[in-house]
Amino acid sequence: MKTLFKTFLFFLILLFPTTNLLAKNTQVTLQLSWLHQFEYAGYYAAKEKGFYNNVGLDVIIKEMNYQKKDSVIDDVLSEKINFAISYSSIIERYLNGDDLIFIANFFKNSPLVLASQKDIMLPSDIRGKKFMGGKDALKNSGFHLMLNQFNISENDFIDVPQNFSIDDFIEKKVDVTSIFLTNQVYKLNKKGAKYNIINPENYGAEFYTNNLFTSKTQYLKYPNRVKAFREATIKGWKYALEHKEELIDIILKKYNSQNKTREELLFEANQIENLILKSVYPLGSISLNRVKRIADTYVQTGIVQNKSRIGKLEEFVLSPLVNNPALTKNQKKYLEKKKKLSFCIDPSWMPFEEIDSNGRHRGLSRDYFEIFRKELGVPINLVKTESWTQTLEFLKSRKCDILSLGMETKERKEYLNFSSAILSTPLVLATKLDIPFTDNINTLEGKKIGIVKDYSFEDTLKQKYPFLTFVNVKNVDDGLLKVINGELFGFVGALPIAAYKFQQAYLGQLKIAAKFDEKLVLHMGFRNDEPELSTIFENLLSIISSETKEQIYNKYVAISYESRKDYTLVLYTIFFFVFIIIFFIYWNRKLRQEKEHSEKLLFELKLTEKLLEEKNEKLEKLYITDKLTNIYNRQKLDTELEKEIYRSGRTGHKFSLILVDIDHFKKVNDEYGHQVGDSVLIEFAEVLGRNLRKMDVLGRWGGEEFLIICPYTDEKGAKAKAEYIRTSIEKKKFSHIGKKTASIGITTYKANDTEEIILRRADDALYEAKNKGRNKSVFLL
């Protein structure tokens, strides 16, 4: 019987092709955002290793046709293609009304930057230069945001049509062009080109790239297909990153339309791994908070006018499920017996963590421990230390159960178990402002580079870069000050630490000039003689979503973009005038004949428009601007100070006040007259306004006194900023009168401060500075 059945089946297969007996895989099309390269290795792996096939999909992968005028987003919306990869422009298009679904993100940072000739170091230097693809570059969100800060439009440079070749730049036919750090830098270095990199990320642009998306129509029709495509793609990327050499073989064999070499693809693979940040974020994850920040950037820069969809971004992002594991019986028993836990931190390592002057734990790690306390219901107490070295000693001697953040090293594993990575951040080189950016560390041979003694990456860097002269410093501030003073060429440290120090203490004096391949990968550490600890906290870390992790990170690290003007009161007043004017127009319509009606309405509408423009200017000047200096007035400063006191009281973040008074200003008016005095006040305001952060608020407090409100600035940062202002004034040669100095009072917010108390303290500090002989800055707390 079995033989008969097999014979029947054999003839059936001969008569009917197997494709008619078995269900066909559904054919879908994936459109790439550029030509074949390692940038899309995860998609190739999902196809070639059968991950797409396993979920019933036959995926056709198409290169981008850069000569095609239609947008890939339009092709997805019209259902010409099913899935596509694009930039953060999908967020812009969604905000502007297109029904898209954001499926997954793979590159957490954008590799798209500007390469410039050696004499062009800043975005402002682009003026008058030959910019290949300049007009097209302005359509890119990151470039638009960066160039907009320097008021650069398409009229400020010579636009050269984009030919997608780097050769014209190498031959110096053009001065500036856009490139990808992942691959085109390799070509520049290979050909020995001399260049600078202008990276939008250094100017606050933070956009996702390699974004997988589809249309809402496609998702509503086939939700399971879309989810299956996402999961298979994530598997593909996981495989690609773990088998880079194999994927390079596949690309060379099947996807090498650009004729790249193995060496070139390997360079690209390593660069892309840095962009994916797999040790920090789950592959394919999307942070809703980050999407919201990108959306806010589009609105703030005027790229998007319609705000109606800002509150509906949850409908745009396809979110995966998050696991929520519970503690085991043994773990609960351990905690009951332990009763309380202790932890140590690096006492001076902001924005990651610090012990402030009041002995409190501040910084990024604090937010994690707040979550841990809430979840465990067990006291977790901070053990105070004086230095990082002492922290390590306390951990070795078991005075602490937990290390909040640290790198995993062979030596530390002798007494600690480590969690999975909490975060990963690049190591960068901080230098003076006049040093151009380089992505080739070899060009720094013989330079003196500061590095904090006993930091875990010290030995690694010394072994990999023996041609650099590393010099041990006590701490981050010691290293950065030695760079400013010229004792060191640069200082190597973590990017967030450098950015924090730049904003808080060394404003306008330092910059990032290079990035190392090595990363600072931070873990939690747990005493290894109590192994239950590491399993408990590994479970806790797993329930914290990537969105929450990124929210915590950006709370302390991301740069704040706050508009320097508050139009709320202006708008309310405008609406009032609009109402009054429209009311009169309405009654005029009732009283006039039909023939005169249209002409009168047109006249009144034009009059309304003109009145609104006039009222807008007058009201803005009246309510928030000092008429002489064109900076904020006291009324605006009062409002901002009230906001900062409320915010600091609620969040615990410090802010500082810097009160500046021109020394012997009365003599200027007496000797030169009030017109010259007014001129000095205007120039003085200009000096104070230089190099302030966007979040800082500068205004004229009265007479020759000026006030600066500095959010998220502690005592050290405020002192450094005030001293920088004082020396800038001292060096300035004012029109008509020459040199002039100023006295400065500084204070920092502390708990229960009112506006009156903190202002009195700043005023007392200013008075003390004058009593000490003027041209001084004094801090009082």
Side-chain angles (χ1 to χ4, degrees), residues 104-269:
N105 162 259
F106 293 100
F107 292 3
K108 303 306 175 189
N109 297 311
S110 173
L112 191 59
V113 300
L114 296 181
S116 64
Q117 302 296 349
K118 290 293 288 183
D119 61 323
I120 302 172
M121 294 190 291
L122 298 171
S124 54
D125 298 334
I126 293 172
R127 284 190 174 85
K129 303 296 184 180
K130 294 178 181 178
F131 189 168
M132 180 182 280
K135 289 183 179 179
D136 292 332
L138 282 172
K139 297 174 185 176
N140 174 273
S141 311
F143 292 145
H144 178 91
L145 178 63
M146 175 179 70
L147 296 175
N148 189 54
Q149 293 182 44
F150 293 86
N151 297 316
I152 294 177
S153 69
E154 62 182 47
N155 298 319
D156 293 314
F157 53 77
I158 303 166
D159 183 62
V160 178
Q162 180 64 267
N163 64 9
F164 300 100
S165 170
I166 201 72
D167 293 334
D168 283 357
F169 176 80
I170 294 171
E171 296 167 8
K172 298 188 177 181
K173 294 179 181 178
V174 295
D175 302 303
V176 185
T177 187
S178 59
I179 65 166
F180 275 81
L181 288 173
T182 47
N183 50 33
Q184 288 171 299
V185 164
Y186 174 86
K187 293 180 179 178
L188 289 173
N189 293 341
K190 195 78 173 175
K191 295 190 177 183
K194 304 295 183 183
Y195 61 93
N196 289 322
I197 294 294
I198 301 176
N199 193 336
E201 284 190 6
N202 294 337
Y203 298 89
E206 48 163 1
F207 292 94
Y208 277 153
T209 51
N210 204 307
N211 299 315
L212 181 62
F213 73 100
T214 188
S215 66
K216 188 174 182 179
T217 302
Q218 183 85 193
Y219 177 66
L220 292 176
K221 283 182 182 177
Y222 313 108
N224 292 333
R225 180 195 296 177
V226 172
K227 291 175 182 177
F229 187 87
R230 176 182 64 186
E231 295 310 312
T233 302
I234 290 171
K235 286 182 181 178
W237 269 112
K238 184 176 186 297
Y239 188 91
L241 294 174
E242 293 172 354
H243 303 84
K244 287 184 280 191
E245 292 284 356
E246 181 183 346
L247 262 294
I248 289 171
D249 288 337
I250 291 172
I251 293 171
L252 289 170
K253 185 176 180 181
K254 294 188 174 183
Y255 300 98
N256 197 18
S257 56
Q258 298 192 71
N259 297 316
K260 294 193 173 189
T261 64
R262 174 176 292 277
E263 185 183 9
E264 194 173 352
L265 288 168
L266 185 59
F267 175 88
E268 185 182 354

Side-chain angles (χ1 to χ4, degrees), residues 59 93 101 146 190 216 219 236 312 340 409 461 468 492 514 549 556 596 609 645 649 739:
V59 179
R93 291 288 295 266
I101 296 293
M146 175 179 70
K190 195 78 173 175
K216 188 174 182 179
Y219 177 66
K312 299 179 181 179
K340 63 181 180 180
T409 66
L461 294 181
L468 297 178
V492 60
K549 288 178 182 177
Y556 293 95
E596 298 173 343
E609 182 179 356
I645 289 174
K739 296 288 185 176

Side-chain angles (χ1 to χ4, degrees), residues 20 57 107 143 197 205 295 345 509 582 586 743 765:
N20 290 332
L57 296 175
F107 292 3
F143 292 145
I197 294 294
I345 70 172
Q509 300 176 76
I582 292 175
Y586 172 78
S743 299

